[in-house]
């Protein structure tokens, strides 16, 4: 099972955890509420998990332009 982190804004692959030993507790998923979990985590047909996160580039852009963030969240 692999866990793929993808930027929710630009779609770039941020990183992959390739491990069967990682459980959802260690990943911090339990800190999310159900809505966040549904928004952030999608289970792939092959058993992999895709987690939406934010890449450094987008984080930087958002820090500079908070307005940009509001716009982006409505684009799917
Ligand atoms: Zn990005």
């Amino acid at each position: 099972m692999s866990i793929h982190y993808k930027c929710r804004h630009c779609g770039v692959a941020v990183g992959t955890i390739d491990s069967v030993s990682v459980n959802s507790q260690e990943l911090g998923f339990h800190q999310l509420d159900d809505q966040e979990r549904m928004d952030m985590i999608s289970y792939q047909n092959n058993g992999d998990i895709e987690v939406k996160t934010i890449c450094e580039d987008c984080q930087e852009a958002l820090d500079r332009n908070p307005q940009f963030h509001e716009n982006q969240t409505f684009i799917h």
Side-chain angles (χ1 to χ4, degrees):
M1 181 187 87
S2 299
I3 301 165
H4 304 282
Y5 286 85
K6 264 192 165 182
C7 178
R8 68 165 76 230
H9 297 289
C10 67
V12 76
V14 178
T16 299
I17 297 175
D18 198 7
S19 173
V20 287
S21 64
V22 177
N23 66 41
S24 57
Q25 287 258 322
E26 289 173 84
L27 294 170
F29 291 169
H30 64 291
Q31 293 169 357
L32 306 171
D33 65 30
D34 286 345
Q35 185 59 48
E36 287 174 318
R37 223 180 314 227
M38 272 166 51
D39 284 348
M40 286 182 61
I41 304 167
S42 49
Y43 295 89
Q44 311 293 298
N45 289 334
N46 62 4
D48 285 358
I49 299 175
E50 192 179 290
V51 181
K52 293 200 179 71
T53 182
I54 185 163
C55 71
E56 285 181 20
D57 287 347
C58 288
Q59 184 63 62
E60 218 180 289
L62 295 181
D63 286 346
R64 275 192 304 242
N65 309 292
Q67 194 68 33
F68 181 67
H69 187 219
E70 284 172 29
N71 295 338
Q72 286 296 298
T73 53
F74 293 102
I75 300 173
H76 292 285

